[in-house]
Amino acid sequence: MGADQGAIFADLDDWCPTLPKLPKLPPWWPPIPEPDPDPHPEWFTDFHLGFAAQIAVAATKLEGTRAGELLNKAIDRSLESIDRQT
């Protein structure tokens, strides 16, 4: 992908944060409104579940590569965050 993979690994904490830190998404993503915790108190868990599911699809296509390793680490971090919330 032409990106510095070391920098991408360092960004994992921004993409897959642990509470109370909120996600910091890549600058090229469209703006996402702040969630309202009152009507949906489980938004953080749902965010990580959706993120891990989407990344898992991409990871299967990159299995055995450095990018696949990065995506698998992102999935693991999201699943760990979900486990901590339950």
Side-chain angles (χ1 to χ4, degrees):
M1 294 190 296
D4 175 16
Q5 293 177 351
I8 294 172
F9 278 114
D11 288 343
L12 272 180
D13 194 45
D14 289 337
W15 301 347
C16 306
T18 55
L19 282 178
K21 187 177 178 185
L22 296 177
K24 178 182 172 191
L25 302 175
W28 59 86
W29 282 21
I32 297 174
E34 288 290 324
D36 183 0
D38 291 331
H40 194 66
E42 300 296 321
W43 72 268
F44 193 80
T45 299
D46 291 346
F47 166 81
H48 278 286
L49 182 60
F51 182 81
Q54 291 291 326
I55 296 301
V57 171
T60 60
K61 296 178 182 181
L62 297 170
E63 193 171 326
T65 67
R66 183 95 164 122
E69 178 186 344
L70 166 70
L71 295 177
N72 285 326
K73 284 186 180 187
I75 293 166
D76 290 343
R77 286 184 65 119
S78 281
L79 295 178
E80 287 171 10
S81 292
I82 291 170
D83 284 344
R84 283 189 224 122
Q85 295 304 308
T86 57

